[in-house]
Structure formats: C-alpha cells, structure tokens
Amino acid sequence: MMKQESSDEEENDRENLISQNARPNDVARHRSVFQIDDDAFKSRLSGASRRFKKRYLLAIFLPMLFLILYFTTDLKNMFQKHVPTIKDLDSSSRMRESELQALYLLKQQEFELFKMWNYTTLVNQSNFNSVDNSSNLGNYTGLASLSTSMLEDLKSRVFGQISLNKQIQGVLLSSHENEGLVELNEDYTDPNFGGWNRCAKVDQRFSERRTIEWKPRSDKYLLAICVSGQMSNHLICLEKHMFFAALLNRVLVIPSSKVDYEFRRVLDIEHINKCLGRKVVVTFEEFAETKKNHLHVDKFMCYFSDPVPCFVDDDHVKKLKGLGLSLSKIETVWKEDVKKPKQRTVQDVLAKFSSDDDVIAIGDVFFADVERDWVLQPGGPIAHKCKTLIEPSRLILLTAQRFIQTFLGKDFIALHFRRHGFLKFCNAKKPSCFFPVPQAAECINRLVERANAPVIYLSTDAAESETGLLQTLVVLNGKTVPLVQRPARNSAEKWDALLYRHGLEGDSQVEAMLDKTICALSSVFIGSSGSTFTEDILRLRKDWGSASLCDEYLCQGELPNFIAEDE
C-alpha cells in the first residue's frame, strides 16, 4: 500500500514539475501532437461527412444526367465536326451529273419543238395553197393524203417529245430514288398515246384476201419458163406462173437448173405443196420421170409477142431441147409488148390459154399485168394455209435468224443500197433514182430518227469507198449509227454453221436470198426504187406481216440533188 501510494505521489509530483517548468508554447505543441481536441475533432468529422455526401450525390446524379443527354442530344454532332464521306461526295457528284444530263435533254427538246413549229407552218401553207388553187372537191384527194402523212409525222414528233420529257423527269429524280417522291412508272399522259408506235406493223387484213383454189388435174402440166433478169425477176416470174397454173388447173413444173437457177438451193419446193395440201408443183426431174416416154411440150402459146415470141431467144430454146424436151411450134395468142404490157383479166387468160393438151408453155410472164391488185395482195391470189408460198428455204431462214440474234437484235433497220450498174439504169428513168451518198445519208438519218433503231443492216453491192462515206454520215444525236454487213466466214462464228454443213456456203444465190431474208425480218426497211431485189423483199415483208408503216424507198418523193448528163 505504501509503495503504491508513494508511487502515485511521485507521479503527481513529476507532472507538477513538468507543468511548472514548461513554457506555454511547449505545452500547446505537446498537446497538438499527443492529444485530440474535442472541438477540432468534431469540426473535422463534420467536413468529412459533407464531402462524403457530395460525392454520393454526384455518383447518383451524374449517370442520370448522362442518360438524359444521351436520349435528348446528338452528342456526335455537338462535339464532332462533320467531315464529308465518300458516300456524300458520290451523292453530290450524281446530283451534278443528273442536272447536266437534264439540261442536255432539255436543249434537245427545245430543238425538236422548233422543228415541230416549222412543220405545222408547212402543213398550214400546204392547206392554204391547195384550197386557193382548187376549184372542186375532187382536187382534195391528194391534199388529204399529203396532210395525213405530214400530220402523222407531226404526231410522231409530239410523241417523241412526250417520251423525252418523261426521260428528263427520270434523270432529275434519279438522285432522289430512295425518297419516293414520284412514281416514275406512272403514266400521266393521254391514254390515246399508250403503246402508240410511229413505225408500227401494217395491218394486212389477211381475212379480206380474194383468192382462188388451186386444184390441178394430176396429168396436166404448165412448164414454167423464166429468162429475164436475175434471181429476183425469176422468183416473181415463178409466182405469176403459179397464178396461171391455178387458173388453168395445171401442175406447175419448176425449171431445171440446167436452163435456170437451182431453185432447190434457195426455196423449199415441197413447202408449196404442203401449204395447199396437195401436189401442185413438181421439179423438172419429177416431171421428166413421169413423162420419160414422151417428154414433149404439146402447145407453146406465147403471152408476149414482142420483142420476140414468148420472150425466149434461140439460146434458151437450145437449152430446153438439151434436156431431151421436144417443143411444138411457138405461136402468139395476142399482140403484147414487154415494154408496154396491157392490163389483162382472168377471163382474158382463160379465153386464150385454156387447152386440153397435157403439157403447155406460155413463156416468160415476169412483165405480165394480170389482175394486179389480186396478184399483189398479201399472201398472193391463191388460197393456202401458209403466210406465203414462195419463201426462203428453212436453212436460209434459220441462218438469217441466227445472224440477227448475233449481230442486230430485235429492232433494226434494213437498207438495200443498190449501186452497181444502177447509175446508168436510174438516169435513164424519169425521174432518176440514183442519189449522191450525202443526200442518201440525210434520207436515212430522217428514217433512223423516226424508227429510233440502234443499228442498220446494209445489203449492198456498193464499193467500200461509197459505204465508208455513207457510214461516216449516218448519225443520230451526234452518235454514228453502225452499218452492219455480213462478215466473211469465220469458223469461230456459228451463225452460218447450217449453210456450211449442208454445202451451201459461198453460193451467190444462197447469199442473195439470205440478204433478202434478213431484210424481210427487219423492223423497218429502206429499199432501192426500181430494183426487183427490193420488190421481192417488200413482197416477203407483206406476206410475213413484218411490213412497217415506215417502210419506204430511199429518198422517196425526192429528186437527186445532182444528175449527170447523158453520154
């Protein structure tokens, strides 16, 4: 106890001693280091609490603030400067290009509208002059025809401008294709324009044909003789012989290749029989086999008397006899000149050429003028179930189709540009039909514009110097329109493989018929006036139903702007 008390006292004395001897600053410093003051502690605790609460509130409200900003503000646009992308530049470029195209098309439309204005003025002047110079209604026939043609062309131009206007709309709106502002396929034009085509196919009215039945007696024959001109003339001659055979109830004998062309290489002879459902034509070889014991022409009656009877010269008579064919005396039934043929009727033919003899001949009838409207109607004058009786062989037709599929396509213009020997021939006619190449090109350009065809098939015998010049001048809207000709045989090309496999390649008559067939299948055809090659193409187009309202002769209705003097 005593020790404890003594110890406590010593401790108290020690404290007192320190307190008494220490300076005030020392005491304060001692306290701050070793002693925590209650007020200071409370103050510090309160500050820490406030700081903690602020941090807590920020932790709560900052995410909420970011969420609000995220859903209400496009931060990318606020804080990031917009840099044009490749897509933006491409869109701007396309917009600019569309505007330039639209301006170009509008300029074209302005030009065409001026042409339309001048055209309507021409129609008005034509009407005024014709009425002023006419004294009776009968004179209005030509005017009506002229005005109808001109107004039809005007209608074509108006339709073209409607189409051009639609094209402009499409170009201007093409850059807004995703905005759905306008339905480009909607037709806001007059419904009468729907499907209208300036160069539409001609309605041939086949149901209104005037025809006769060809029902020949199997033992009665008409020997076809064709000597004038080249293959086209002979085909026309053969067609007229068929009409005579039908009128006279006879089987037609196709000429032998020894005295005429080899028709079997270009025509399907059996096709004619199939179209009528009976035997109406035979080859000379078939006829010779039937008449081998008596190969004789019982009666040789001439349709033409001048310049020579039957239009058959001595050389042709020798060729006929060389076939083993004996001939009766050649006689004329009337006065008929090939240069001035008279219009004849069916009754005239029946009265002069009817006979009970087994085999008759009447000579070349290419120039014969018998029932012209009847003979020239679509499909011809004979009743049959085909489009036409005389047409290219199946091999040639298929080859033509393959050529078109390879080089031309569905819409093309065909041009028969006859030149070789045509200068003298045409200048002997009044008016001449031989046009300078630049003038011909102008006429072709007008038709190309109407037909709106991308390519022209050129069937010609012209020199390369002429066709080359023509090619440079055939232009539409500043672009050259290609003139396509059949190329030389190339084994890499297969369009002509059928002819090659059947040994028909290189035959001039096969190639000529191939040209005719391609031209006959064209959308629009331009022919050479005075050429029977052109006339045979027109016949095929008429019979096949491919004839167009735009078909015409080259520079039809015009005169050559320069004609050379006679020799």
Side-chain angles (χ1 to χ4, degrees), residues 278-339:
R278 63 182 71 93
K279 197 78 168 178
V280 295
V281 296
V282 295
T283 64
F284 184 84
E285 289 71 22
E286 290 176 304
F287 166 71
E289 181 64 26
T290 302
K291 294 287 186 178
K292 57 184 176 181
N293 295 325
H294 186 63
L295 199 58
H296 178 69
V297 175
D298 302 310
K299 202 163 190 177
F300 211 138
M301 302 172 285
C302 297
Y303 187 95
F304 286 103
S305 59
D306 295 319
V308 294
C310 285
F311 206 52
V312 175
D313 57 18
D314 293 338
D315 183 59
H316 199 81
V317 170
K318 289 179 181 179
K319 289 180 179 179
L320 289 173
K321 291 181 178 180
L323 297 172
L325 188 65
S326 60
L327 308 177
S328 63
K329 182 182 177 181
I330 298 177
E331 57 185 81
T332 58
V333 298
W334 55 31
K335 187 72 173 177
E336 192 79 8
D337 191 338
V338 294
K339 294 182 180 180

Side-chain angles (χ1 to χ4, degrees), residues 69-85 88:
L69 289 173
Y70 179 82
F71 288 108
T72 60
T73 307
D74 187 352
L75 295 177
K76 183 178 180 181
N77 288 336
M78 288 179 63
F79 300 106
Q80 181 178 347
K81 183 178 179 180
H82 179 70
V83 178
T85 64
D88 295 329

Side-chain angles (χ1 to χ4, degrees), residues 361-405:
I362 58 178
D364 194 311
V365 291
F366 170 75
F367 295 101
D369 188 2
V370 179
E371 302 286 1
R372 184 186 307 169
D373 295 338
W374 195 359
V375 170
L376 295 181
Q377 65 184 336
I382 300 170
H384 57 82
K385 58 184 179 182
C386 300
K387 291 183 177 180
T388 186
L389 294 178
I390 297 181
E391 67 178 16
S393 69
R394 181 69 177 166
L395 290 176
I396 293 176
L397 178 59
L398 289 175
T399 301
Q401 292 174 351
R402 291 181 177 187
F403 179 86
I404 292 170
Q405 184 177 358

Side-chain angles (χ1 to χ4, degrees), residues 1-11:
M1 287 291 295
M2 289 297 293
K3 287 182 180 180
Q4 185 177 3
E5 289 178 358
S6 175
S7 176
D8 291 336
E9 286 178 0
E10 288 177 3
E11 181 69 24

Side-chain angles (χ1 to χ4, degrees), residues 433-445:
C433 52
F434 192 90
F435 295 89
V437 171
Q439 185 179 0
E442 290 180 7
C443 299
I444 295 168
N445 286 336

